[in-house]
Amino acid sequence: MQPMREQLVVEPGTPAGLAARDPGWMGGTEYAKLSKRELKAEAKALLAARTEKLAELQELLWASDTYALLVVFQGMDGAGKDSAIKHVMSGVNPQGVQVTSFKQPSPEELDHDFLWRVSKAAPERGRIGIFNRSHYEEVLAVRVHPEWLDRQRLPAAKRGPHIWEERYEDINAFERHLDRSGTTIVKFFLHLSKEEQKKRFLARLAEPNKEWKFDAADVAERAHWDEYMAAYEDALSATSTAWAPWYVIPADHKWVAHAVVASILVETIDALGHDWPQVSEEERKANAEARRLLEQEG
């Protein structure tokens, strides 16, 4: 199951078109003759191959110490953000990866601009940084609940209807700055259907060892589904850029989402064109002497 990257990306300057994208996509017409079992097996095989390759590329990223990779995950509750991170990053060296989950802002964070806390969490060169939710909550959840802006104590003149467009501009400029500084950005919206979210919520409630993952407040947010979809449509359309593209990942089948995300990450890092660090002639001579001494031992 090879993901059709060009179909999943939100082309810069075009609408995201979420309503026309199928959250239950399983590979397109070329896989129509395969059973769900066969599709799942193929997706799992692809995931295994891509996670192995991702581990190699992550080591190269670390060794070259030139670029960083920032991976942003957004999606409705139950979309599978934690699961995607767990499965896709299962083979990489944990020393080279940092995962940041952004929750409700602290009092200190609310005393700064909305990009302050994410700027601090950006990955250093050679590392992969993962944002589980991100600065986009400020144009998604806060847009659906504009009363939350009260906690940010913005000047009245800065809270008009223009605030969302201005925040899109700020986000694009911030991400452009990171890109120019060597941080490659890739953003995934896990596109879950409302029906599948309901199934996942009920499954959590039905299993004692999964009930801890359920938050009754998520059902209250579910009542704002259409508002969230409208906010996502606007945000993805305004902030998918050449330097920080959005990919709309079909998320009703987690095995599809995992394979697709892993494939795009491999392609993204591979396209950076890293080379292994070169050893100088002086270092090579020193290494040869060290080898001679080691071989003489015993």
Side-chain angles (χ1 to χ4, degrees):
M1 177 184 289
Q2 295 293 336
M4 293 173 280
R5 183 171 178 168
E6 66 277 5
Q7 293 187 16
L8 302 177
V9 71
V10 177
E11 291 293 345
T14 66
L18 296 181
R21 296 178 184 257
D22 180 12
W25 179 87
M26 292 191 291
T29 55
E30 63 180 297
Y31 298 101
K33 295 182 179 180
L34 298 181
S35 67
K36 186 174 180 179
R37 182 186 297 271
E38 291 171 325
L39 286 168
K40 192 171 184 178
E42 185 165 343
K44 287 190 172 183
L46 177 61
L47 175 62
R50 291 296 184 267
T51 52
E52 182 178 351
K53 181 64 175 177
L54 186 60
E56 297 174 8
L57 290 171
Q58 186 247 345
E59 185 178 3
L60 180 56
L61 183 75
W62 176 272
S64 64
D65 199 27
T66 303
Y67 287 97
L69 178 68
L70 174 59
V71 185
V72 174
F73 282 97
Q74 286 288 157
M76 296 295 285
D77 297 311
K81 296 179 291 295
D82 291 338
S83 177
I85 295 169
K86 174 183 176 181
H87 286 82
V88 173
M89 308 306 293
S90 60
V92 303
N93 186 336
Q95 294 185 91
V97 179
Q98 60 194 59
V99 180
T100 307
S101 297
F102 291 97
K103 306 296 184 181
Q104 181 175 321
S106 69
E108 180 187 19
E109 290 167 343
L110 288 170
D111 272 337
H112 291 81
D113 66 89
F114 78 95
L115 290 171
W116 181 74
R117 64 174 182 165
V118 294
S119 180
K120 292 197 305 175
E124 63 190 76
R125 299 186 196 282
R127 293 173 65 88
I128 297 174
I130 299 174
F131 285 178
N132 186 345
R133 298 191 188 275
S134 66
H135 43 302
Y136 283 93
E137 291 299 306
E138 293 291 336
V139 292
L140 296 167
V142 178
R143 183 167 186 174
V144 173
H145 298 282
E147 66 276 10
W148 292 355
L149 282 171
D150 292 341
R151 293 180 297 180
Q152 298 181 15
R153 299 185 296 280
L154 297 174
K158 305 298 183 181
R159 285 193 51 175
H162 48 74
I163 187 172
W164 311 118
E165 285 70 23
E166 290 179 349
R167 286 193 168 185
Y168 298 150
E169 292 176 6
D170 293 339
I171 287 171
N172 286 339
F174 168 67
E175 293 176 350
R176 185 64 180 268
H177 166 69
L178 289 179
D179 177 72
R180 286 171 168 166
S181 302
T183 298
T184 295
I185 305 169
V186 60
K187 301 176 293 194
F188 298 116
F189 168 58
L190 300 185
H191 191 21
L192 183 73
S193 68
K194 192 175 184 180
E195 295 74 18
E196 180 62 22
Q197 187 196 56
K198 178 180 177 180
K199 291 179 184 178
R200 293 183 185 180
F201 282 173
L202 290 173
R204 289 178 184 178
L205 290 169
E207 295 187 37
N209 63 341
K210 287 189 177 181
E211 190 173 355
W212 66 271
K213 297 175 67 176
F214 182 78
D215 186 342
D218 293 344
V219 175
E221 288 301 283
R222 179 177 166 83
H224 297 283
W225 185 277
D226 291 343
E227 296 167 76
Y228 271 105
M229 290 302 102
Y232 268 111
E233 176 69 28
D234 287 351
L236 270 61
S237 300
T239 61
S240 190
T241 59
W243 56 89
W246 274 107
Y247 293 92
V248 180
I249 307 299
D252 276 8
H253 304 290
K254 289 186 178 181
W255 40 274
V256 171
H258 299 165
V260 170
V261 167
S263 294
I264 293 174
L265 287 180
V266 165
E267 292 177 23
T268 300
I269 301 177
D270 209 21
L272 296 176
H274 285 118
D275 290 317
W276 291 101
Q278 297 297 307
V279 178
S280 69
E281 188 60 32
E282 182 178 345
E283 290 171 324
R284 197 176 302 278
K285 289 179 180 179
N287 290 343
E289 175 62 14
R291 179 176 181 175
R292 185 186 67 80
L293 293 173
L294 286 169
E295 291 175 340
Q296 286 181 349
E297 287 184 4

